[in-house]
Amino acid sequence: MSKKNSSKNESSYNQIMTEKIKSQGNNGKSNHHNESITNNNILDKDFQLRALRIMLLARNIDNKAMNLLRQGKTFFHIAGSGHEAIQVAVGLSLNPKKDWLYPYYRDLAVVLSAGVKTFDFFLQCFAKEDDPATGAKQLPCHWSSKELNMPTQSSPTGTQFLNAVGTALAMVKKGKHNVTYVSSGEGTTSQGEFHEAINWASREKLPVLFVIENNKYAISVHVEQQSGGKGSSIEAMMSGYENLFHKRIDGTDFNESYSVVQEAVQYIKEGKGPALIEADVVRLFSHSSSDDQKKYRDHKELEEETKRCPIEKLSQKLISEGNLTKEEYEQIKKEIVEEINSAADLASQAKDPDPNNAVKNVFDESGLKESLEYEKSKPSGKPVVMVDAINHALHEEMERNDKIYLFGEDVADAKGGVFTATKGLSTKFGEERVFNSPLAEASIIGVATGMALSGLKPVVEIQFGDYIWPAFMQFKSEVASIRYRSNNEWSAPVVTRVAVGGYIHGGLYHSQNIESIFAHVPGIYIAYPSNAADAKGLLKTACRINDPVLFCEHKGLYRQSFATSPSPDADYLIPFGKAKIVREGEDITVVSYGVSMWDSLLAAKKLEHEGYSVEVIDIRTIIPLDEETIFNSVKKTNKAIVIHEDTFTAGFGAEIAARVSDNCFQHLDGPVRRIAAKDSHIPYSPILENAVLPSREQIYSGIKKLLEF
């Protein structure tokens, strides 16, 4: 599907609007400009009229969208009415051809200032196929534009802050001098990821402009119940950061807003650090079309808020100074309403989305991963343990691709990772490309996502699977959905290496398996190698494909002799979704991965002496799953058992068993069985741990019992 809006409806709309703009004396210029305007221009009549026009456009789009919803023609809207002054001040201070924008869902005036078209807004409002931001896959008011350096936006509050920091970090790494803008309401500053973002940006003096649009209400919760800053101020709460420019302003006053934004941008461009502006604004509409603020806000308060309307402030200023007559003002409003009505009418007639596209672009469909040459050599080097094979893969891929940046907790030398998987990398490639992150998992994944959106290839380490959960919001709501929700316009192919698994007496918080939970998240590939050669081949593939990968490394296998294999060469790649038949057999199929695969193999060898022929399959990747190899094996052996280390209930084995039952039922001579850990946390005592995790005896007995069925 085209992302360039080449429909007849848009062509008609553009012709109409080109004539309108010319007739208004704007010489066909768009709302945004390419170079920052100096402070001397703040009193310029034409500049203020341009700002007023954008503010009126945003306000009347809000009005139109709400009317359409009341008429039952659309489904959702979230208004920015009352926020326009600070938003236009930001939009006219940045250059969308150089700077990056991470606006939040209320930032209509920002995106209009940057160059988003009225027609494009209504394509999204009506959920049309040619909606350039999402292809009708997201709610309205979720902005996205490759042309304007505006990455696709999601609904969760606060996730965008770390992404913006990642993009700013990437720009610094690339030697580019620009600004990354990111915004939210005051309620979102209660989220930990906001504070993590401020911390990272301030510590490294990154060029980020944080704008907090404080309308005092997070839906119905007042800022006094949200912020611990002095006077409930976000800016006051941030005052302890040494490198952070911070000011609180009247965000309904355009001139004040523009002046302070210019000051903040100058501070950023001088390399002094990030800036935070807390803009006091008013929320003239309810939180969203699903809310009614009259239920929880006093009538007198709403009346007072209306008196602070930013559009009334600027228009009355221009009129009082003789720069605008009341008649001219009414004419501008009339023209804008006509523009909006025309755009809405044409957008309503545009093509609806094709249901066949509903599941497109969950993963990369470009053919890149299919074009790679896999397993073109046989591992034949010196025997290598798994952790060293991973280290070699990282060295080789970083040497091959200078866009790879590696970071995480303790990954730099002399530590080189808690398991030494990253040993030597910072020494070889420098701390610009290999560096330690703060001890904050959400920061690691959020920053990596922003770097990936800018075109880099982050390969990050989460020290233990047990500690990945603070980052789960970034995985689920950002990394996994970016390609889908932007309709293939953006992608975040972050590679996340993580140590998982038990049998090392690590207790509850150093023994977890996480694959089944992440397998439930569409958009992330999951690898789980069981030996050195597979680990190297799969990791190198992960570094080359254009999809996010969760790379599970069982720490119990890092240095196990039975997981050792001949070292593959630098071009050795293994495809995702291709299982390996580790041992051929005729009587039963064992499907497994990780440590359990090795225990299954030992059981198969023992059962061979008893006259049984056991086929063992190592699936190697959880997502995608090689169903073909599994099904073909089951059709041959007529029995299947799935064995893994994770819990029995809702472990990934349940998914495999269900698929085998669905597709191979007529070939089965017995039930599809599972062997897994007990539904328990993993205790520290080796005696207790052995009672929870599947043992070799349990695996042997379970396979034999099904053989005898």
Side-chain angles (χ1 to χ4, degrees), residues 33-38 90-100 172 175-181 205-209 243 245 258 260-275:
H33 53 81
N34 293 332
E35 299 298 333
S36 293
I37 296 174
T38 63
V90 167
L92 293 181
S93 295
L94 300 179
N95 181 352
K97 294 188 182 298
K98 294 180 181 179
D99 299 320
W100 285 72
V172 171
K176 294 186 177 182
H177 303 286
N178 50 26
V179 176
T180 299
Y181 161 79
K205 297 184 178 181
L206 295 178
V208 186
L209 173 60
N243 300 319
F245 172 102
Y258 184 78
V260 174
V261 170
Q262 288 284 298
E263 186 182 355
V265 168
Q266 185 65 28
Y267 179 92
I268 291 168
K269 289 188 173 180
E270 288 175 359
K272 295 179 179 178

Side-chain angles (χ1 to χ4, degrees), residues 16-28 53 331 335 338:
I16 293 169
M17 290 317 304
T18 298
E19 294 304 315
K20 279 187 176 290
I21 291 170
K22 287 180 178 178
S23 70
Q24 292 163 9
N26 202 27
N27 298 320
R53 192 178 291 274
Q331 181 61 27
E335 290 167 352
E338 289 175 354

Side-chain angles (χ1 to χ4, degrees), residues 106-175:
R106 218 178 287 282
D107 267 358
L108 176 58
V110 172
V111 302
L112 290 172
S113 302
V116 169
K117 300 171 186 175
T118 308
F119 180 69
D120 292 343
F121 170 88
F122 284 106
L123 284 174
Q124 189 179 92
C125 187
F126 285 110
K128 296 297 183 178
E129 182 175 82
D130 284 334
D131 159 27
T134 79
K137 290 177 176 175
Q138 279 226 87
L139 286 170
C141 306
H142 288 65
W143 325 110
S144 175
S145 172
K146 256 297 178 62
E147 180 185 3
L148 302 176
N149 287 338
M150 191 186 299
T152 174
Q153 180 203 341
S154 65
S155 292
T157 55
T159 51
Q160 71 271 23
F161 285 114
L162 287 169
N163 301 163
V165 170
T167 295
L169 179 61
M171 294 301 105
V172 171
K173 299 288 186 186
K174 292 179 177 182

Side-chain angles (χ1 to χ4, degrees), residues 221 308 355 412 491 579 594 617:
V221 181
R308 294 185 62 212
S491 62
I617 296 174

Side-chain angles (χ1 to χ4, degrees), residues 40 55 58 66 111 119 129 141 211 221 231 262 307 324 364 395 407 435 450 462 485 505 525 571 607 631 683 692 698:
N40 293 331
M55 291 163 69
M66 292 301 292
V111 302
F119 180 69
E129 182 175 82
C141 306
V211 175
V221 181
Q262 288 284 298
K307 294 176 184 177
L324 179 69
D364 179 25
H395 274 275
F407 59 98
F435 51 93
I462 299 293
R485 72 175 192 244
H505 319 315
Y525 282 149
D571 294 319
L607 287 163
F631 296 165
V692 170
Q698 182 185 358

Side-chain angles (χ1 to χ4, degrees), residues 417-441:
V418 294
F419 298 103
T420 71
T422 57
K423 184 178 180 181
L425 287 167
S426 65
T427 299
K428 182 175 181 179
F429 297 102
E431 293 189 1
E432 278 296 305
R433 289 185 65 195
V434 182
F435 51 93
N436 291 327
S437 72
L439 200 155
E441 286 76 15

Side-chain angles (χ1 to χ4, degrees), residues 403-628:
K403 291 184 177 181
I404 292 180
Y405 286 77
L406 192 149
F407 59 98
E409 299 164 17
D410 300 298
V411 299
D413 294 326
K415 183 71 173 176
V418 294
F419 298 103
T420 71
T422 57
K423 184 178 180 181
L425 287 167
S426 65
T427 299
K428 182 175 181 179
F429 297 102
E431 293 189 1
E432 278 296 305
R433 289 185 65 195
V434 182
F435 51 93
N436 291 327
S437 72
L439 200 155
E441 286 76 15
S443 288
I444 294 170
I445 303 305
V447 167
T449 301
M451 295 178 75
L453 287 166
S454 74
L456 299 182
K457 181 74 176 184
V459 178
V460 299
E461 178 178 302
I462 299 293
Q463 219 164 70
F464 290 91
D466 314 64
Y467 305 129
I468 203 168
W469 309 118
F472 192 71
M473 174 71 91
Q474 286 291 338
F475 278 109
K476 177 68 172 70
S477 298
E478 299 298 339
V479 175
S481 67
I482 281 170
R483 183 185 297 281
Y484 180 81
R485 72 175 192 244
S486 69
N487 207 27
N488 202 39
E489 193 78 351
W490 296 92
S491 62
V494 178
V495 178
T496 305
R497 296 180 39 256
V498 55
V500 299
Y503 299 104
I504 63 163
H505 319 315
L508 281 68
Y509 300 110
H510 297 83
S511 306
Q512 292 176 21
N513 282 277
I514 62 175
E515 70 276 6
S516 65
I517 295 172
F518 280 89
H520 192 69
V521 180
I524 300 177
Y525 282 149
I526 304 173
Y528 201 136
S530 63
N531 62 79
D534 285 357
K536 184 175 183 181
L538 287 168
L539 183 55
K540 290 172 73 69
T541 298
C543 290
R544 299 192 191 189
I545 62 177
N546 200 25
D547 283 304
V549 174
L550 182 70
F551 199 84
C552 297
E553 302 168 6
H554 199 296
K555 48 192 173 288
L557 294 175
Y558 270 148
R559 291 179 173 82
Q560 277 288 355
S561 58
F562 53 73
T564 299
S565 62
S567 181
D569 61 31
D571 294 319
Y572 185 69
L573 306 177
I574 293 176
F576 277 59
K578 185 179 179 181
K580 182 178 182 180
I581 299 176
V582 181
R583 181 184 180 90
E584 293 189 355
E586 302 293 331
D587 298 332
I588 193 171
T589 297
V590 176
V591 182
S592 191
Y593 55 93
V595 166
S596 296
M597 190 283 298
W598 289 106
D599 291 341
S600 299
L601 194 59
L602 286 173
K605 292 177 180 177
K606 184 176 180 180
L607 287 163
E608 182 181 22
H609 296 301
E610 300 177 28
Y612 296 107
S613 177
V614 179
E615 183 146 297
V616 180
I617 296 174
D618 183 353
I619 60 173
R620 304 199 289 193
T621 61
I622 308 295
I623 305 292
L625 179 66
D626 183 358
E627 293 180 328
E628 182 180 3

Side-chain angles (χ1 to χ4, degrees), residues 367-374:
L368 171 64
K369 55 182 171 287
E370 291 79 10
S371 70
L372 298 175
E373 190 174 356
Y374 297 106

